[in-house]
Amino acid sequence: MVVGAHVAGVDLPSSPAEARERVDRLLRTQFLSGRKTGQDDVVWADALLVTSELVTNAYRHGVGLTGFSARIEGNELLLSVADQSTAFPVLPLRAKGEFTTGGYGWAMVNRLATRLSVIPTDDGKRIDVAVALV
């Protein structure tokens, strides 16, 4: 089951919540079905957190979502999120002990992803992320 497509304006989630719902449905039907372990709960939460962060950033910083897909291959959730911005996400530099508002999501995505690519496109960029499901 593939959720979404990379076709501009066609079947794209209208919000981060809708993207999370799609990934939740995918995980429940293809990965978590019949399983009941604490580790699965953590994996599920990580996958939804990464989904939410990528789609939120596409709407907030990327001038809108232009592509979205989610699928399971082997033991990984593969997410792909495209937006209209050509600016790549950055990890803000902070001094030790410095705490500021915002800027933590991309670091979280980098930490939770087993693979991550930012790819320039003709109309912006696409971020491809793999999240381990085991």
Side-chain angles (χ1 to χ4, degrees):
M1 170 191 249
V2 174
V3 178
H6 280 291
V7 179
V10 176
D11 196 31
L12 295 175
S14 61
S15 67
E18 186 181 333
R20 283 191 309 272
E21 288 171 11
R22 290 181 187 193
V23 170
D24 178 62
R25 187 171 49 249
L26 176 68
L27 290 172
R28 288 184 191 281
T29 59
Q30 290 198 8
F31 176 69
L32 297 175
S33 181
R35 297 168 59 151
K36 301 282 186 216
T37 70
Q39 179 61 31
D40 288 342
D41 291 342
V42 171
V43 166
W44 173 80
D46 288 350
L48 295 183
L49 208 53
V50 170
T51 301
S52 188
E53 183 62 29
L54 292 176
V55 175
T56 296
N57 284 348
Y59 280 111
R60 183 176 292 158
H61 306 293
V63 198
L65 189 67
T66 59
F68 176 83
S69 69
R71 68 184 190 281
I72 294 174
E73 274 188 20
N75 290 321
E76 292 181 315
L77 170 67
L78 303 179
L79 293 170
S80 188
V81 176
D83 64 44
Q84 297 179 51
S85 173
T86 57
F88 279 34
V90 295
L91 293 171
L93 298 176
R94 293 186 174 91
K96 185 175 180 176
E98 177 185 13
F99 298 99
T100 59
T101 302
Y104 295 95
W106 186 240
M108 178 204 59
V109 169
N110 277 262
R111 185 176 175 114
L112 294 175
T114 54
R115 288 189 318 279
L116 186 145
S117 300
V118 182
I119 302 142
T121 63
D122 290 340
D123 62 347
K125 69 178 169 299
R126 187 180 80 234
I127 299 175
D128 294 337
V129 175
V131 179
L133 298 177
V134 291

